[in-house]
Amino acid sequence: NDWFTFSIMRKSQYMTWGRQMLMQYLYDFYREYHRGHNLIEEKYGRMMESTAPEKYEELRKNFPERFPELPEEKKAIIEQIVKLQVGWMEEFAANYPELSYNARRIHTSEDTPEETSYETYLRGELMTYSDKMLELYGRYVVEYAREGRNLAKEIMNNNVKMYGYADVDDAEEKVGRSAAGGKTGNEQV
């Protein structure tokens, strides 16, 4: 319910994507929308499998067409991607504890009915990707891994820049100073 924050979060991610991924995602979104399939509804519903399992089972039972069964191969690919990205987020959290404190919890094991972890959110989103989009996304993540880059850090770097910081190091320092009582201005991440 916070469009400003939501917009920054999504833009931060999409800024790391290539044109082909952006176009595929847009194509898939509109194709499914015109078929009567709401990918956002599916994503949030799938996240409820961890955060509100009884409600998820009720939704799945009453609306099976909204939660199509995924092939085991696709689930395995998703889990490989999730494992890589959770590792990057853990690394980011270790290097930027102040910024991480203000972000989602990392692991599905930390989910509550009120808070969805990074891992659960990512898994829910990937489950809505078409086979083509998942292939593109998987290649993109593998390329980051091969190059030794941390996707979580790059996304967070985009994020803090939209809040007015120079980069994650600048934000970490200022957010840390603010938490210690030395507020220097509009430190908000």
Side-chain angles (χ1 to χ4, degrees):
N1 295 331
D2 178 355
W3 174 250
F4 178 73
T5 300
F6 177 79
S7 176
I8 286 176
M9 298 298 160
R10 297 311 293 196
K11 285 177 190 173
S12 296
Q13 176 183 341
Y14 296 148
M15 289 169 67
T16 67
W17 289 14
R19 181 172 172 74
Q20 187 179 11
M21 285 175 60
L22 292 167
M23 295 305 292
Q24 185 66 47
Y25 187 68
L26 183 63
Y27 170 79
D28 290 347
F29 189 86
Y30 280 112
R31 182 193 63 226
E32 293 304 308
Y33 176 78
H34 289 292
R35 291 178 176 171
H37 181 198
N38 185 331
L39 293 174
I40 296 170
E41 176 184 63
E42 180 186 347
K43 174 178 72 173
Y44 283 96
R46 289 190 184 276
M47 291 188 302
M48 290 171 65
E49 185 173 11
S50 177
T51 61
E54 297 84 18
K55 182 70 174 163
Y56 172 73
E57 280 306 316
E58 181 183 322
L59 286 170
R60 206 169 66 85
K61 183 177 129 194
N62 293 330
F63 306 101
E65 71 283 357
R66 294 182 185 173
F67 304 98
E69 197 60 40
L70 301 177
E72 290 304 314
E73 182 180 351
K74 188 170 188 171
K75 289 180 187 177
I77 292 167
I78 289 168
E79 291 308 313
Q80 290 173 352
I81 293 169
V82 167
K83 183 178 177 182
L84 269 173
Q85 289 197 236
V86 165
W88 285 326
M89 188 55 80
E90 289 169 342
E91 180 183 310
F92 179 83
N95 293 322
Y96 299 92
E98 297 296 334
L99 291 176
S100 297
Y101 180 78
N102 292 311
R104 291 181 182 275
R105 297 198 189 316
I106 297 173
H107 304 98
T108 295
S109 61
E110 300 170 284
D111 284 345
T112 69
E114 295 80 33
E115 287 193 49
T116 305
S117 67
Y118 172 82
E119 178 180 2
T120 297
Y121 194 96
L122 175 63
R123 184 178 290 115
E125 181 155 325
L126 294 175
M127 288 178 158
T128 68
Y129 286 3
S130 68
D131 291 348
K132 180 65 178 172
M133 183 64 199
L134 189 60
E135 176 189 343
L136 292 170
Y137 193 86
R139 290 178 189 277
Y140 153 82
V141 169
V142 166
E143 188 64 28
Y144 265 81
R146 282 188 183 138
E147 293 175 0
R149 295 165 57 199
N150 183 322
L151 179 58
K153 182 178 178 182
E154 289 194 30
I155 291 170
M156 288 300 287
N157 205 45
N158 290 336
N159 183 301
V160 299
K161 285 178 179 180
M162 284 189 252
Y163 280 109
Y165 297 99
D167 56 25
V168 289
D169 294 312
D170 178 48
E172 179 72 11
E173 177 188 336
K174 289 178 179 168
V175 169
R177 197 173 331 143
S178 174
K183 196 166 181 115
T184 62
N186 60 351
E187 285 93 358
Q188 177 183 343
V189 177

